[in-house]
Amino acid sequence: MRDDFPRYLAKELDAADPLADLRDRFVIGDDDLIYLDGNSLGRLPAATPAHLDRLVRQGWGDQLVRSWPTWIEWGRRLGDRLAAHALGARPGEVVVSDSTSVNLYKLAAAALDAAGGRRTILVDAEDFPTDRYVLQGLAQARGLTLRMLPSDLDEGLRLHELRAALDTDVALVVLSAVSYRSGALLDMAAVNAAAREVGAVVLWDLCHAVGAVPVELEASGAELAVGCTYKYLNGGPGAPAFLYVRRELQSRLRQPIQGWFGQRDQFLMGADYDPAPGVDRFLVGTPPILSLAALDPALDVLAEAGVARIRAKGRRLGELIVALTDAWLTPHGFRVASPRDPDRRGGHVSLHHPEALRISRALATQARVVGDYRTPDRLRLGPAPLYTRYVDVWDAMDRLRDLAERRAWEHVPGEPSRVT
Ligand SMILES: *Cc1c(COP(=O)(O)O)cnc(C)c1O
């Protein structure tokens, strides 16, 4: 059966891959380890250590506080870089700051404050937990109704379910463009248009979309968005997140955390809070400069590749996972748990198996393939087009099939752990 898609075909795809050379722009210490978790924590760009070393020694060590006139613009500067290379947004619409969770809170609260008498928030019932928790807290504190939209674990939210829930009481809709579990991809323009018809605002979570699929915030009519930079953007563990507020909306929104970085003429140290004009008003406090700095070398690689080419390769990597699952793994109880149509899927593919947790552990410890487990019974595989080769996907699937033939997970513990 291994002859149905021989390994040399994967090698041929790599030989024709226009992004193949970019793999060398990442630190890959262990060539035998197959890393399919770039959608949790992207790899370390090769230029990052020296870039940070220079910043620490010169910017911090030598220049000290005299570096701040440069650093103070970095949230905006990096926001504009992201806007141009990954988000389809205009200059002055994106800043990098805080975490995705905090930015989600800031923008959701600002939208709710501006929503007049509307009292309903909609969220995908299967959305990433932090989104649901933040909204639960906001709804509780304000006495609003949070409605959970039923959504298919494999196929994601259907547009007709959203349409059925949209009415003139809806203030805010929070959705992920790409589902963290299945990879289901939403049509952002269609969702934005449906919400606009009833006067509701959509706040997009782009964590699994940015750097994997083309995001066109301006063209799709998006108003608000947040997302993280440590997944497909390779900004490093805990790298600060971004937020986007459409230009036309900025002056009408006030965020709830009135910090001094969001203040007009910050260094006049005025008596009362007066929000800065533009997107700066969504900043809060002193940014983590070392973490911000790591985004520059990461964005250099992204800009060189271009999201269109990343997407084209990501589709084919995903199709390879789907095809090899069908051919090799179905007899062993695996099933594709993501949309099969690549137009409806982001960068990762999930496989259903009742023993997914044990399998994901066995795969990492016995077969040296790092993917991850997602509740309730999904093995999630996230090939990152900037550094994952077709042959890596082929080998990972081959190792998984070998594991399945031997049922090698049977002796692996199945208890939950602190991180999965
Ligand atoms: C990874 C992820 C987050 C992470 O939020 P943090 O505040 O950075 O922990 C949020 N939302 C989604 C959809 C994610 O995939």
Side-chain angles (χ1 to χ4, degrees), residues 23 51 83 159 268 274 281 306 312 356 367 395:
R23 181 174 161 87
H51 182 74
L159 215 50
L268 293 184
D274 177 15
R281 65 176 50 197
D395 286 342

Side-chain angles (χ1 to χ4, degrees), residues 390-402:
Y390 293 94
V391 77
D392 295 326
V393 165
W394 195 97
D395 286 342
M397 299 304 283
D398 187 47
R399 292 182 198 182
L400 181 54
R401 170 170 141 133
D402 175 61

Side-chain angles (χ1 to χ4, degrees), residues 312-382:
K313 182 177 175 187
R315 279 174 68 110
R316 303 184 81 177
L317 290 166
E319 286 178 304
L320 186 54
I321 292 175
V322 170
L324 296 182
T325 300
D326 289 346
W328 297 349
L329 297 174
T330 312
H332 300 288
F334 291 82
R335 165 175 70 72
V336 172
S338 297
R340 300 186 73 91
D341 175 359
D343 286 338
R344 295 212 47 245
R345 195 175 64 224
H348 63 273
V349 177
S350 286
L351 307 183
H352 170 269
H353 192 288
E355 292 290 355
L357 174 58
R358 282 194 165 94
I359 291 169
S360 132
R361 286 178 180 163
L363 200 56
T365 56
Q366 300 174 30
R368 317 209 68 231
V369 177
V370 176
D372 54 22
Y373 162 77
R374 283 295 170 261
T375 55
D377 43 24
R378 303 290 199 269
L379 173 67
R380 192 176 67 167
L381 303 175

Side-chain angles (χ1 to χ4, degrees), residues 99-101 127-128 130-131 176 180 205 207-208 228 230-231:
S99 65
T100 298
S101 304
D127 209 341
F128 193 78
T130 209
D131 301 48
S176 288
Y180 80 99
D205 184 329
C207 282
H208 280 277
C228 53
Y230 50 78
K231 293 175 177 167

Side-chain angles (χ1 to χ4, degrees), residues 120-195:
T120 301
I121 307 170
L122 302 180
V123 67
D124 182 335
E126 299 300 336
D127 209 341
F128 193 78
T130 209
D131 301 48
R132 292 182 280 110
Y133 303 157
V134 164
L135 296 173
Q136 280 169 7
L138 277 166
Q140 220 160 32
R142 291 158 183 249
L144 304 176
T145 304
L146 176 63
R147 274 182 67 187
M148 301 286 187
L149 299 171
S151 161
D152 189 273
L153 278 195
D154 300 352
E155 298 292 324
L157 177 73
R158 322 261 187 187
L159 215 50
H160 68 83
E161 295 279 7
L162 172 66
R163 286 217 171 87
L166 280 171
D167 59 37
T168 53
D169 193 55
V170 175
L172 178 66
V173 183
V174 177
L175 294 172
S176 288
V178 173
S179 155
Y180 80 99
R181 186 191 278 109
S182 67
L185 172 66
L186 283 173
D187 179 342
M188 292 180 63
V191 168
N192 290 330

